[in-house]
Amino acid sequence: MASERLGMAALAWMALCLAAAFAVDRSNFKTCEQSSFCKRQRSVKPGSSPYRALLESLQLSQDSMKLQLVNEVNKVPLLLELYGLQGNMTRIKINELSPLRPRYEVPDVLVHDPPTTWLAVTGRDENSVELSLGDSGHKLILTGKPFRMDLLQGRELVLSVNPRGLLHFEHLRHRKDSFSDKVSSSVGSLWDKIKSLFYREEPKESAPEDGAAGEETEPALPGDQESSEKSTKSEEVSDGPNRAEEELGSWEETFKTHTDSKPNGPTSVGLDFSLPGFEHVYGIPEHADNLRLRTTEGGDPYRLYNLDVFQYELYNPMALYGSVPLLLAHNTQRTLGIFWLNAAETWVDISSNTAGKTLFGKMLDYMQGGGETPQTDVRWMSESGIIDVFLLLGPAPTDVFRQYTALTGTQALPPLFAMAYHQSRWNYNDEEDVAAVDDGFDTHDIPCDVIWLDIEHTDGKRYFTWDPNKFPQPRNMLGRLAAKRRKMVSIVDPHIKVDSGYRVHNEIRSRGFYVKTKDGSDYEGWCWPGSSGYPDFTNPEMRAWWASMFSYDQYEASMENLYVWNDMNEPSVFNGPEVTMYKDALHEGGWEHRDLHNLYGFYVQMATAQGLEQRSGGLERPFVLSRAFFAGSQRYGAVWTGDNAAEWDHLKISIPMCLSLALAGISFCGADVGGFFKSPDAELLVRWYQVGAYQPFYRAHAHLDTVRREPWLFGEENKALIRAAVRQRYALLPYWYTTFYHSYRSGQPVMRPLWVEYPDDVTTFSIDDQFLIGNALLVHPVTEQGAHGVQVYLPGKGEVWYDVHSHQKHHAPQTLYVPVIMSSIPAYQRGGSIVPRKERVRRSSDCMYRDPYTLYVALSPQGTAEGDLFIDDGHTYNFESKAQYLHRHFSFASNTLTARSADSKGVFESPAWIERVVILGAGKPAAVFLRQPGMADTRLDFQHEPETSVLTLRKPGINIGADWSISLR
Ligand SMILES: *[C@@H]1O[C@H](CO)[C@@H](O)[C@H](O)[C@H]1NC(C)=O
C-alpha cells in the first residue's frame, strides 16, 4: 500500500489496523453491556407488562385497527396500529401517540404500501378483543391488561406478541439535569442552526393538540428550559428499570475515546414474541455463525449494526457488514417470519425452553407426556425509530419468501456475466498486469468473465479517477477486455477525499451533500484517502447526483463493460466509534445517523445501480457488488461476505452465511474465493474454487499483502483442478440463470437450505454443510482439510438422486458416505428434475451465447421429470419491457419428453439448439422418435449404458425455442 500520495496520518491508521494481526480486536466493538440502550432494554425482565391497551380507544377502519397503549408507570400513551395485509401478513406499528418530535420510520425499503385486507371485530369481553384478519382464517386476540396479542389459526396458537411483557418503549423526553440547564442556551441556538441546515420547510408537527399525559405539543429542542419543566411531571415516576440505571448512558455515552452526545436522550424500543411449537429459527444476517440460530441466553444477543470488522471471528453473534432484520421460524407444520423494520442498531435475543435439554431429556418428556410444547422466544431491541413489525404467516417456506419479497422486492435478475467467474485482487497493479492476467486465463484455458480493480487503480484513492502512471490508458484496457468479451469492475467507495483539487469533493461540498456533524459542519473521518467526507446517500438529490456521475461523460474512460463495486459502505470510518460514523452525525431532514445507520450501505448500492442503469438510458441491467446491505438490497445487486481469511473454517462458514442471506431475500451472495487475508495453500485454494463454483456469486479476491494466487500459480495438477471447477460453473450457467429468473419472479432463494424443499424432514433442519441450488441440485462440497470422504444426506422419502458426475442413482432418504479425492465436488441431481447445461465451455459466458444446450433429464422412480429454461439477451431489461425472452418448459412422462412454452407472453429468437438429451435412470428403448408440429417423425440416434441406466440421445438438432416431443418406444 505504499503510495506517495497517502497522507502520513492515513498510513498511521492503516498500520494500526493491520497491526492486530489475524484476530478481531473485540475491544473495538460493543457488547450489549457496553451499548447503553441494549443494557437498559435487557434489564427489563420478563414479568407482567406495565402496558395496558385501552380497549375503549379502539378504532376500526376497513383495513386497520388503532388503539392506545399506556404505560401504567409513566402514563406515556402509545399508538398501536394493526393492519391485515393481503397474502397472510399482519403489520403492527407502535409509536408514541404524541412524540416530542417525529420518530424515524424507515423509508424506501418497502417496494410499495403493502395492500391491506379487511379486519373485523368478531368477539369482545371486558379485557380482550378478537379480530378476524381477512379471509386467511387468522384471528388475533388482543388482551388489554397486561397488554399482549395472540395470533391464532383456527384454535392453533401461532405466535404471541409481548407475552413476556418485554415491550419497552423509551419515549422522547426533555433533559432535566443541571448540565443541560447550563448549556441549554448554547445547545438551543446550535440546534436552531442545524435545523435550518436541514429543514427546508418547517419540521412536521407531530403531536395532536390534545396530547395526553400532559406532554407539550411543540417539537421540542434539547435543553429547551421551559418545556423541560413541563415534562418533569412524567419524569418523576420510575419508568420500569431502576431510575439511576436507566439514566446511565441515556443522554451521553462514551465508548473507548468516543462520546456520543445523544441530544434526544433515550429513544430505544423493544418487544418480544413467542413462537410455540418452534425449535428452529434462522435468518437475521449478517453473522459468521451456523445457519440455525443459537439461543443467546448467557451471552450477547445477535447484533445487527453494519460494521467493518477487521479479521472477523467465526461462530459468534457479533455484528458484521450488513443487516437484514428478518427472522424465520420453521417446524414440520409451518414456516413463519418476523420482519422488524428498523434501521437503527438492533440486538436480537433468542431463548428456548428446550435449549440445553438433551435429546434423551426431550424424549423422556415426551414419553411421560409431561413435556411442554417446545417454544422459541425472540426479543428485538433497537436504539431508535418506532416498532414496525410484519408477521409473515406462511404457512409454507415458499409462502414466507413470497410474503417477504412482496414487501421488500425480489432479487434483481443479474446480467448473465455476473453469474460467471470473477478474478479480483487488491490490486492488479497496472495495465500490463491486467493484460497479463487476462491473457493468463486464455493461455491456461480457464474461463473468466471479469477482472476487478481495487482502490489502487485510482489517482490517490479519488474514486472515478485513474492513476495516471499505472493506468494511463484505461479505455484501451477496457477495449482489450471487450474484444475478448470480458468485463471489468472498478471500485467506487463512498468516502470522498477531502481535497480542494478533486472535482467530486468540490461538487458534493458545494451542493451541501455531505453528512454533517452534530454541529452542522461537514463530517470528516479517516478512510483510505486520508481525511474523507461521507456523502449523504439518504438524500434523494445526492443519490441522483451520484447516479449521474456514472454517465460515460462523467466517469472518465468508463465504457459499457465497466461495472462497479461499493466497498466500505457500512460506512467504514477508521477513526470513528466502532470503525464507523458517529451516531449523532446528521442527515437530510435532521435525522441522526443513529436512526438510519443500517440503511447507509443500502442507499450507496441503490444510487450506484441507478447510475449504471441510467448511463445506458435505462436499457442495461446494472451489476453492483456491495459489502453493506439492509432489507431490500437484493433489488440492487450482489453482496459478499467481506474480509474473510484463507482458513478452512472460513471456507466452511461461507455456506451458512450465504444461506442465511438467501433466506432473508438476498440470493446473490458469495465469499472471497481463497480467503481475503492470508495465503491459502493449494489444497485450500482448490477446495475453495470448488465450493465457489456452486455458490451464487463466484469471485476470487485477495488482500494486498498476500502472495499472488492466479489459478495457474500452483502447478499443473492444481491448475487442472481449478479449471475443472470453473468449467463446472460455466456448464451450469443456463441453470443458474433460470434459477435466478425464478428468484426474481417469485422471491424463492437461489441457494437453499434443504428444509426449504423438505419442510417436514426434521433431519434437514440443522444441515448447513450442504445445500440446494434451485430445487434440482444438491451440493455437498468438501470443506475439510485432508478429507477422504463426506457424509451426504439425500432427502426425500421415496425419491432418488443421481450423482451428476458418475450418474449413479441413490435412493433417499439416506446418509451416504462418499469417498472423495481432490477433484471431487459431490453434487446430485434430484430424480424428477430436468437441468439444462451448455457443455462447450469457452473463454467467457458471452462467447457461449450461441452454443447448444444439453438437457439432463433425471427420472423419478415414477419415470417422470420436469424442468425449465429461461433465455433472453442476458443483459438488458428487454425481457421485461418488451417481453423479449424464451421460457421453455420440459416434461417427461409416459416415455415421452415434451418441450413447450412455459409462458406464452415471451417472444425471443435464440440461435441456440439442443445438441444432446441425457436421460438418467432410463431403460433401453427399441427406437427413439422426434416429433415436431407439422413434420413427419424422425428417428434419433441413441446410446444406452446398462450399468448406469444412462440414455443419451444425440443431435436432436432442434432450436431451443421450438415445440417438440421425443418418444422412447
Ligand atoms: C394463508 O394461510 C392459510 C392457512 O395457513 C393457507 O391455507 C392459505 O393458502 C394462505 N394463503 C396465502 C395467500 O398464502
Side-chain angles (χ1 to χ4, degrees):
M1 65 183 58
S3 161
E4 62 288 353
R5 287 185 192 79
L6 222 55
M8 278 313 287
L11 269 175
W13 266 108
M14 278 181 248
L16 237 167
C17 289
L18 289 169
F22 307 133
V24 69
D25 185 354
R26 280 180 182 244
S27 73
N28 279 334
F29 303 101
K30 289 183 182 178
T31 60
C32 175
E33 188 72 14
Q34 291 167 323
S35 178
S36 78
F37 86 88
C38 187
K39 186 178 177 186
R40 291 197 306 276
Q41 285 280 343
R42 245 188 171 190
S43 73
V44 178
K45 300 293 180 205
S48 189
S49 177
Y51 288 90
R52 180 159 67 93
L54 306 178
L55 300 184
E56 60 280 13
S57 70
L58 187 148
Q59 286 182 326
L60 197 69
S61 67
Q62 254 189 347
D63 62 356
S64 75
M65 186 274 285
K66 293 186 184 166
L67 61 66
Q68 288 182 31
L69 299 176
V70 69
N71 180 323
E72 303 228 87
V73 180
N74 64 19
K75 307 295 182 211
V76 175
L78 304 178
L79 177 67
L80 168 82
E81 294 172 73
L82 187 122
Y83 299 86
L85 303 182
Q86 285 175 23
N88 289 347
M89 290 187 271
T90 302
R91 182 182 197 176
I92 298 164
K93 286 174 85 168
I94 301 176
N95 195 355
E96 292 180 56
L97 182 66
S98 325
L100 289 176
R101 69 180 130 270
R103 298 180 66 117
Y104 191 70
E105 300 192 32
V106 175
D108 300 315
V109 167
L110 299 180
V111 284
H112 48 68
D113 276 339
T116 53
T117 180
W118 57 267
L119 282 180
V121 172
T122 46
R124 194 160 202 164
D125 63 23
E126 63 284 357
N127 193 32
S128 60
V129 174
E130 183 195 87
L131 292 158
S132 279
L133 308 171
D135 298 318
S136 65
H138 292 102
K139 280 190 186 333
L140 188 126
I141 295 175
L142 188 149
T143 305
K145 186 183 162 142
F147 163 67
R148 65 179 281 159
M149 293 190 282
D150 295 282
L151 217 147
L152 290 89
Q153 165 148 44
R155 319 189 96 201
E156 177 209 357
L157 177 59
V158 177
L159 167 155
S160 305
V161 182
N162 201 36
R164 292 185 294 153
L166 299 175
L167 170 61
H168 183 59
F169 201 109
E170 293 181 330
H171 61 283
L172 295 170
R173 64 200 78 187
H174 296 293
R175 190 172 191 173
K176 64 180 181 70
D177 63 43
S178 56
F179 172 75
S180 87
D181 289 349
K182 273 193 223 119
V183 298
S184 66
S185 56
S186 65
V187 172
S189 62
L190 213 48
W191 177 254
D192 285 338
K193 213 166 74 196
I194 295 162
K195 214 172 52 170
S196 70
L197 271 170
F198 285 105
Y199 282 100
R200 250 153 249 126
E201 301 143 36
E202 281 302 295
K204 276 194 214 93
E205 279 290 331
S206 62
E209 291 300 318
D210 59 347
E215 299 277 359
E216 51 299 296
T217 55
E218 278 285 302
L221 307 174
D224 177 336
Q225 242 172 345
E226 198 196 2
S227 42
S228 288
E229 279 156 27
K230 273 203 259 170
S231 70
T232 36
K233 192 178 124 210
S234 65
E235 292 291 307
E236 274 156 11
V237 271
S238 155
D239 193 11
N242 175 288
R243 179 79 194 157
E245 220 172 84
E246 195 206 35
E247 281 299 306
L248 273 181
S250 289
W251 291 94
E252 190 174 276
E253 179 171 353
T254 298
F255 179 67
K256 302 195 95 175
T257 57
H258 302 285
T259 298
D260 174 5
S261 71
K262 297 200 174 178
N264 297 321
T267 57
S268 73
V269 298
L271 183 61
D272 72 291
F273 301 83
S274 291
L275 305 168
F278 289 94
E279 287 185 88
H280 293 82
V281 289
Y282 307 92
I284 53 167
E286 178 175 315
H287 299 99
D289 206 354
N290 298 321
L291 175 64
R292 181 191 177 186
L293 300 172
R294 290 174 295 109
T295 61
T296 56
E297 286 156 304
D300 257 7
Y302 283 100
R303 189 183 191 199
L304 295 172
Y305 190 56
N306 296 356
L307 291 175
D308 180 3
V309 179
F310 182 76
Q311 303 278 9
Y312 63 81
E313 263 178 53
L314 309 187
Y315 303 106
N316 71 53
M318 285 174 72
L320 282 178
Y321 311 94
S323 300
V324 184
L326 171 71
L327 178 133
L328 303 187
H330 177 71
N331 64 24
T332 54
Q333 305 303 311
R334 184 190 279 274
T335 310
L336 58 78
I338 300 175
F339 175 38
W340 176 265
L341 181 51
N342 188 303
E345 179 185 343
T346 295
W347 298 77
V348 186
D349 255 325
I350 293 164
S351 52
S352 148
N353 60 356
T354 55
K357 273 195 189 161
T358 61
L359 191 60
F360 179 71
K362 283 191 223 172
M363 250 167 60
L364 209 64
D365 279 353
Y366 177 76
M367 290 186 308
Q368 291 169 344
E372 349 163 43
T373 319
Q375 174 170 312
T376 300
D377 296 322
V378 182
R379 175 188 203 168
W380 298 81
M381 301 167 278
S382 292
E383 189 178 8
S384 67
I386 65 164
I387 292 175
D388 189 359
V389 59
F390 295 80
L391 307 176
L392 317 178
L393 301 174
T398 49
D399 297 323
V400 174
F401 300 133
R402 202 170 21 73
Q403 287 154 0
Y404 178 69
T405 55
L407 296 174
T408 64
T410 61
Q411 177 66 56
L413 179 64
L416 176 61
F417 82 83
M419 293 170 211
Y421 174 69
H422 302 253
Q423 181 67 35
S424 183
R425 172 172 186 84
W426 175 25
N427 213 83
Y428 286 122
N429 300 322
D430 49 30
E431 289 171 8
E432 291 68 46
D433 196 8
V434 169
V437 171
D438 172 31
D439 291 343
F441 280 94
D442 301 329
T443 309
H444 301 284
D445 191 25
I446 299 170
C448 175
D449 267 55
V450 195
I451 295 183
W452 290 52
L453 295 179
D454 207 322
I455 51 176
E456 312 301 330
H457 83 277
T458 59
D459 183 4
K461 317 295 186 294
R462 294 170 186 83
Y463 304 107
F464 301 103
T465 69
W466 302 85
D467 183 298
N469 301 312
K470 299 178 200 157
F471 293 90
Q473 311 273 357
R475 238 172 226 288
N476 288 354
M477 172 178 63
L478 286 163
R480 193 177 185 279
L481 288 169
K484 293 206 196 162
R485 295 158 85 172
R486 288 195 175 121
K487 327 284 181 195
M488 175 160 263
V489 169
S490 64
I491 196 165
V492 179
D493 284 352
H495 48 256
I496 302 299
K497 187 176 175 68
V498 174
D499 167 6
S500 59
Y502 180 27
R503 177 172 71 101
V504 174
H505 165 68
N506 289 335
E507 289 212 26
I508 295 173
R509 172 142 74 184
S510 66
R511 288 164 200 255
F513 283 160
Y514 278 126
V515 174
K516 305 284 187 284
T517 65
K518 65 179 172 20
D519 307 319
S521 54
D522 285 351
Y523 170 80
E524 281 180 26
W526 282 100
C527 209
W528 297 126
S531 190
S532 305
Y534 290 77
D536 183 3
F537 284 90
T538 70
N539 178 349
E541 289 174 34
M542 164 61 210
R543 294 200 299 273
W545 178 84
W546 180 264
S548 76
M549 282 302 294
F550 292 93
S551 69
Y552 296 121
D553 58 346
Q554 293 295 313
Y555 187 169
E556 185 200 331
S558 61
M559 291 171 46
E560 296 81 4
N561 67 332
L562 180 66
Y563 294 83
V564 177
W565 165 26
N566 297 142
D567 196 1
M568 314 295 278
N569 54 341
E570 295 73 29
S572 178
V573 182
F574 294 156
N575 61 343
E578 302 192 85
V579 203
T580 191
M581 192 176 278
Y582 281 100
K583 284 179 171 170
D584 55 12
L586 292 169
H587 290 262
E588 208 251 341
W591 297 110
E592 284 192 283
H593 187 67
R594 172 187 341 272
D595 298 315
L596 48 82
H597 171 84
N598 287 346
L599 266 183
Y600 189 85
F602 163 95
Y603 277 129
V604 174
Q605 193 184 18
M606 172 199 272
T608 306
Q610 279 165 357
L612 294 191
E613 210 173 277
Q614 281 167 26
R615 71 177 185 183
S616 68
L619 181 67
E620 297 287 328
R621 290 166 4 218
F623 170 72
V624 181
L625 177 73
S626 177
R627 193 170 68 180
F629 51 81
F630 190 69
S633 288
Q634 64 268 20
R635 311 198 296 263
Y636 306 114
V639 306
W640 90 107
T641 61
D643 298 347
N644 60 359
E647 291 170 3
W648 287 91
D649 276 352
H650 276 266
L651 170 60
K652 198 178 300 183
I653 210 152
S654 68
I655 299 172
M657 287 181 79
C658 282
L659 285 175
S660 296
L661 274 155
L663 291 177
I666 301 179
S667 265
F668 204 8
C669 167
D672 283 350
V673 169
F676 177 69
F677 292 114
K678 303 171 79 173
S679 293
D681 63 14
E683 183 190 0
L684 178 57
L685 186 67
V686 166
R687 290 301 189 199
W688 215 315
Y689 268 97
Q690 295 175 342
V691 174
Y694 287 90
Q695 289 176 345
F697 176 59
Y698 190 19
R699 181 186 74 152
H701 186 52
H703 188 278
L704 187 73
D705 294 337
T706 59
V707 295
R708 292 288 287 244
R709 58 169 92 143
E710 286 69 48
W712 46 87
L713 298 177
F714 294 79
E716 283 301 314
E717 205 175 314
N718 292 308
K719 180 175 85 182
L721 290 166
I722 291 172
R723 178 195 295 131
V726 178
R727 290 174 67 93
Q728 286 188 36
R729 172 55 163 243
Y730 276 72
L732 271 173
L733 283 174
Y735 181 68
W736 279 103
Y737 199 65
T738 302
T739 307
F740 264 99
Y741 175 71
H742 285 298
S743 188
Y744 163 72
R745 276 275 177 250
S746 68
Q748 303 307 306
V750 170
M751 182 179 170
R752 304 176 186 170
L754 271 60
W755 62 259
V756 167
E757 291 292 322
Y758 297 91
D760 49 14
D761 180 354
V762 291
T763 315
T764 63
F765 292 3
S766 300
I767 292 180
D768 62 7
D769 56 358
Q770 60 180 61
F771 53 90
L772 296 161
I773 301 161
N775 61 11
L777 290 181
L778 182 151
V779 191
H780 188 129
V782 179
T783 56
E784 303 275 351
Q785 184 171 23
H788 297 293
V790 293
Q791 302 273 357
V792 179
Y793 180 68
L794 297 174
K797 203 165 182 211
E799 291 196 26
V800 293
W801 291 87
Y802 298 86
D803 185 312
V804 300
H805 311 293
S806 70
H807 301 152
Q808 195 191 342
K809 180 160 88 179
H810 301 281
H811 290 273
Q814 70 160 313
T815 300
L816 189 68
Y817 177 78
V818 181
V820 298
I821 53 174
M822 268 319 289
S823 60
S824 306
I825 316 177
Y828 302 85
Q829 185 176 339
R830 187 179 189 165
S833 68
I834 300 178
V835 169
R837 293 173 181 257
K838 282 194 172 186
E839 298 192 313
R840 306 183 185 192
V841 173
R842 297 176 198 273
R843 176 198 287 154
S844 73
S845 64
D846 201 26
C847 297
M848 293 161 63
Y849 179 70
R850 312 177 71 86
D851 282 351
Y853 291 89
T854 296
L855 299 180
Y856 279 81
V857 180
L859 296 183
S860 69
Q862 295 73 37
T864 59
E866 243 187 317
D868 65 341
L869 171 65
F870 176 78
I871 305 172
D872 71 341
D873 60 27
H875 57 96
T876 72
Y877 282 113
N878 288 342
F879 78 101
E880 239 181 9
S881 58
K882 300 181 179 162
Q884 291 180 358
Y885 63 89
L886 277 177
H887 189 189
R888 305 299 302 166
H889 181 266
F890 308 107
S891 63
F892 189 96
S894 312
N895 282 323
T896 302
L897 176 65
T898 309
R900 59 174 171 79
S901 180
D903 170 349
S904 55
K905 285 202 300 290
V907 179
F908 186 68
E909 291 276 325
S910 168
W913 51 288
I914 299 173
E915 67 173 337
R916 202 180 300 120
V917 174
V918 180
I919 305 178
L920 310 178
K924 184 178 182 180
V928 178
F929 289 93
L930 169 69
R931 171 170 293 176
Q932 288 180 275
M935 290 164 81
D937 288 6
T938 49
R939 259 174 188 272
L940 291 182
D941 283 347
F942 67 88
Q943 207 177 18
H944 185 260
E945 291 170 39
E947 327 80 74
T948 50
S949 300
V950 176
L951 175 67
T952 303
L953 314 180
R954 299 211 177 275
K955 292 225 164 62
I958 334 155
N959 182 278
I960 193 67
D963 288 348
W964 49 266
S965 63
I966 291 175
S967 50
L968 317 182
R969 296 180 196 164

